[in-house]
Amino acid sequence: MDIKVVNMIPKALSGETDQDSEPSLAVNPINPQQIVATAFTPNPSGGTLAPIFISSNGGQTWTLNAIVPGATQDYPTNDITTAFGGSSNVLYA
Amino acid sequence: LTAVGSTFCGVFSANNTPDQSHFPNGVTYQRNANFTTKTLLNVDNKTTVTVSIDPFFFSIGSVPDFPHVHQLYYNPSTRSWIDQDVTALTGGSRAASSSGTSGFGSTDGPHAYYVGADGHVYHLYKNNNNWIDQDLTALTGGPVTQISAISSFASTDGLHVFYVTS
């Protein structure tokens, strides 16, 4: 059985020491290679958008994309969960 | 944890010390790490970084991929057939598992059509020698379909695509 484990923090954020806890995961049912994950990961650039982790190759590699509104200085991210529409190709957060 | 076909995918958060003994089935780090000294390294790949909590993706079994649309074309200069994964080139929608394809060449280049895994009708065409994947159902607001039959042609008044709704 093929078991794969990947640390999702991108290379460009190698210096980060945040507590990236309480993760969540969603897989696009019409393209399972597209996977989205969230955690208590702040936006490395700050601002009002919190990040999500995105993979387009079945979880082999991950990037961070800050697109979820609602981040503040005191709460740079929150308990974000995501889900894909059944066959709509739409990601909801 | 979620199931994708016969594959399990999940995510957990854990201590990020790069120590293989913590990962009996192996692990891949994107961030810089030295598994010999069991230290995390900054972007300069030299300065050590304090251990913290990171998210880890895992899968048990291979994450499935839905069908891609391929093009086979003949290159006269090399006298050889070439297989081109147009879905990979465009990053477009995967095809329905039973989707047929239809295509033709017109004065502006090749055109191909297929039914996506989401039941939308897609149009593949070339723009400046790059393949483009266009969601015709989204553009027109037409109904989705679970039936894969599709036909197309070009005439003097433009492009035509026929499909059957569920």
Side-chain angles (χ1 to χ4, degrees), chain B residues 68-84:
Chain B
H68 288 203
V69 176
H70 285 244
Q71 175 195 203
L72 290 164
Y73 68 95
Y74 186 73
N75 186 336
S77 61
T78 59
R79 295 185 175 182
S80 61
W81 281 92
I82 296 169
D83 184 289
Q84 194 174 43

Side-chain angles (χ1 to χ4, degrees), chain B residues 147-166:
Chain B
I147 299 173
S148 61
I150 193 162
S151 177
S152 61
F153 61 87
S155 70
T156 53
D157 64 344
L159 311 180
H160 300 263
V161 184
F162 292 85
Y163 70 105
V164 182
T165 57
S166 306

Side-chain angles (χ1 to χ4, degrees), chain A residues 2-9 11-12 14-21 23 29-33 58 61-62 87, chain B residues 4 13 26-32 41-43 52-61 63-66 94 118:
Chain A
D2 176 32
I3 299 176
K4 177 171 55 189
V5 181
V6 179
N7 181 305
M8 297 159 60
I9 298 299
K11 182 182 280 287
S14 289
E16 80 98 64
T17 56
D18 295 304
Q19 303 297 304
D20 304 287
S21 55
I30 63 167
N31 183 0
Q33 294 288 301
T61 58
W62 294 85
S87 61
Chain B
V4 184
S13 291
V27 67
T28 300
Y29 271 50
Q30 299 192 127
R31 65 185 302 166
N32 292 328
L41 299 173
N42 211 325
V43 290
S52 61
I53 302 296
D54 279 353
F56 291 82
F57 168 80
F58 71 95
S59 61
I60 303 173
V63 178
D65 197 359
F66 283 5
R94 269 54 178 172
D118 56 357

